[in-house]
Amino acid sequence: MERQKLLQFRGHSVTWLVPLLTLLVVAAVDLSTSGDFRVVSWCVFVAALAAVLCGVRTTALFAVLALVTYVGADSAWPAQYREGAGDFLLVLVGGLLSVLAAALRVRGERRMLHMRHVTETTRRTVLRPLPPGWGGLDHAAVYLAADAEARMGGDFYDIQPGPHGTRVLLGDVQGKGLGAVEAAAALLGTFREAGYHEADLATVADRLETRMRRHRAHTAALGRDDGDRFATAVLLGFPEGEHGVVDVVVFGHEAPLAVGRGGVRPLPHGGGLPLGLAELTRGGPPPVLRAAVAPEETLLLVTDGVTEARDRTGAFYPLVDDVADGLVLDPRTAAPGRLVAYVRDRTLRHCGGRLDDDTTIFAVRPRGAGATERGPGGAGAAESGPGGAGRGERTETKAP
C-alpha cells in the first residue's frame, strides 16, 4: 500500500509509531496533571489516527490499547476525579468506528491499486516497450498521466524499423478513457504494418488517415457517442541509406523540434489536418516534407500536455525558449535521455505539478550521433511518480 511509504525506517513501515506516541502522550499528560484537568478521553483519537495510517489489524490493536489505557488511567484516580462510563463508551465506540473506517479505506486502496495495475497493463499493451537502439535510433520517452477521474488518455508513440527505413509516430487522440486508448491502439497497429511494408511515407500517412476514418465509422455504427473522434500526430521517416535527412508529415500537431548545439528550431510544418478530418478538404493527407538534420541534433516531439501547460497566471509553457536556455547552460541537454527529463521537470515546475492533460515527451536521434544517455529516462526504466495529485508517470528509453 502507498500509505506504508509515508513513514519508513530501513525499508520498513513505522506508521504505527504515530498512534503509539499519541497514546503514550495522552496517558502521560493525564497522569501528570491534576484531577481537575483530565485528558484520558483523548484516547479516542489514537484509534482514529491508526485508521488513517495503518491496516485493519493494527487499528484494532490500537483500539484495544486505547480502551485498556483509558481504564487503567481512569482507575488510578480517586472516585471523585474519574471520567466515568460516558467517556468509556466514547473510547469504545470510537475504536469500533475506527476499525470499520480502516476496513473501508483499505478496501478502497486495494481497488484503486487494482485499477492502477489495469491501467498500466493497458498502456503497456498499447505502448510496447522499445529496445535500446531500436531502428537505429537512440530514443527516450516520458509519459505523464493527468489521470483526471482515473481515466486514461490517448497519447501514443512508437518506432517501426523496416526495409525502407525507420519510421517514428507520435500522436494524441482527442478525448480520454478507453475509447481514446482503443483509437490509439488502432492507429498504432496500422502504423506498425504500413510503416514496415510501405516504401512511400505518403502511403503510410494515407493508411493512417484511412484507419482513423474506418475506426470512426465503426464506433458510430455501434451507436457510441465518440464517432467524431480524431487524432493529431507527427510521422517521421528516416530513409534507408540516407543520412542527415528526415521526412516529416504533420497531422494538425505541433511541429517536431530539432535540438542541438546550434539551438532549437522547428522542422517544416505542412499544415495538415488531424487524422480523421482529411475529408473536410480535397487535398488528401498532409504533404511529406524533407528536412536536413545535423548528426548531433535530437528530434523532440511532444503532445499538447507540454505546450498547453499553464502557470498560475495562465501563461503557456515556453517550450522552445526554455529548451534553448537549457542548452546554453549545458549543451549535453540535447541528448535524448537528458532532453526528455529536462522538459518533464520544467513542464511540471511551470504548471506547479497540475497537469490538465496527459503528456508525452519523445526524443529520437540517429544512433552513434552521441553517447546513449542513461538516467531519468534511461534504457528500459519504468517508474511511477507524482505528476500532481493522482498522477502517474511512465519513463522509458528505447523513458515526476
Side-chain angles (χ1 to χ4, degrees):
M1 293 298 180
E2 293 295 326
R3 57 181 166 77
Q4 294 179 344
K5 299 179 182 179
L6 296 175
L7 188 61
Q8 289 188 340
F9 179 73
R10 294 182 178 180
H12 298 283
S13 175
V14 290
T15 53
W16 51 269
L17 280 175
V18 177
L20 178 61
L21 291 176
T22 302
L23 181 62
L24 294 176
V25 169
V26 169
V29 171
D30 185 76
L31 294 175
S32 62
T33 54
S34 66
D36 295 329
F37 183 75
R38 299 293 311 280
V39 296
V40 68
S41 58
W42 290 11
C43 285
V44 69
F45 296 120
V46 173
L49 284 173
V52 174
L53 299 173
C54 305
V56 178
R57 293 182 180 179
T58 305
T59 301
L61 175 61
F62 276 109
V64 173
L65 287 176
L67 193 63
V68 171
T69 301
Y70 173 86
V71 173
D74 201 40
S75 300
W77 289 90
Q80 65 270 25
Y81 297 122
R82 294 180 182 177
E83 295 288 353
D87 284 353
F88 174 83
L89 289 176
L90 174 65
V91 176
L92 175 62
V93 174
L96 294 175
L97 292 177
S98 296
V99 173
L100 177 61
L104 293 175
R105 194 205 76 243
V106 169
R107 185 172 66 177
E109 286 179 350
R110 288 174 176 168
R111 182 179 302 171
M112 182 61 68
L113 289 174
H114 175 71
M115 292 302 300
R116 183 184 300 178
H117 176 71
V118 171
T119 300
E120 181 62 20
T121 301
T122 303
R123 288 215 60 86
R124 284 187 176 275
T125 301
V126 176
L127 301 180
R128 62 179 180 178
L130 298 175
W134 185 240
L137 300 177
D138 288 328
H139 47 84
V142 168
Y143 171 77
L144 301 172
D147 204 18
E149 300 179 4
R151 295 188 296 173
M152 296 175 288
D155 288 8
F156 58 92
Y157 58 87
D158 200 9
I159 297 175
Q160 181 57 59
H164 310 292
T166 298
R167 277 70 187 265
V168 176
L169 179 68
L170 175 137
D172 181 8
V173 177
Q174 174 261 337
K176 292 183 178 294
L178 289 176
V181 177
E182 182 183 15
L187 290 172
L188 284 173
T190 297
F191 167 72
R192 289 162 186 164
E193 290 301 310
Y196 180 87
H197 292 287
E198 300 295 344
D200 189 358
L201 194 65
T203 304
V204 179
D206 186 63
R207 292 276 299 275
L208 290 171
E209 171 63 28
T210 301
R211 184 68 184 93
M212 190 65 200
R213 284 189 278 124
R214 289 175 55 204
H215 180 76
R216 290 175 57 183
H218 179 259
T219 55
L222 291 175
R224 287 165 40 178
D225 57 2
D226 57 349
D228 59 347
R229 196 182 296 275
F230 60 87
T232 63
V234 176
L235 176 63
L236 302 180
F238 294 87
E240 181 69 22
E242 299 187 43
H243 304 284
V245 296
V246 62
D247 294 327
V248 184
V249 183
V250 178
F251 300 90
H253 201 88
E254 295 286 339
L257 299 177
V259 181
R261 296 180 180 178
V264 182
R265 61 185 178 88
L267 295 186
H269 194 304
L273 293 176
L275 290 167
L277 301 182
E279 58 189 15
L280 299 179
T281 66
R282 297 181 180 180
V288 178
L289 303 177
R290 176 160 291 191
V293 178
E296 75 279 359
E297 284 186 315
T298 296
L299 301 185
L300 175 64
L301 303 91
V302 300
T303 58
D304 55 10
V306 174
T307 55
E308 296 182 3
R310 296 173 181 260
D311 61 13
R312 294 182 178 179
T313 66
F316 292 112
Y317 171 57
L319 174 63
V320 175
D321 294 339
D322 201 32
V323 172
D325 292 341
L327 290 172
V328 172
L329 296 175
D330 185 0
R332 295 176 301 173
T333 302
R338 292 176 179 268
L339 184 58
V340 296
Y342 178 84
V343 175
R344 173 198 63 194
D345 295 342
R346 298 293 294 181
T347 301
L348 290 174
R349 180 178 300 180
H350 180 80
C351 66
R354 300 180 301 273
L355 293 172
D356 295 325
D357 196 2
D358 287 2
T359 300
T360 299
I361 308 163
F362 194 34
V364 297
R365 180 171 67 182
R367 197 164 180 80
T372 301
E373 294 292 331
R374 296 178 183 268
E383 58 180 294
S384 294
R391 297 174 174 87
E393 174 181 336
R394 181 185 181 205
T395 307
E396 300 181 356
T397 297
K398 332 183 201 272

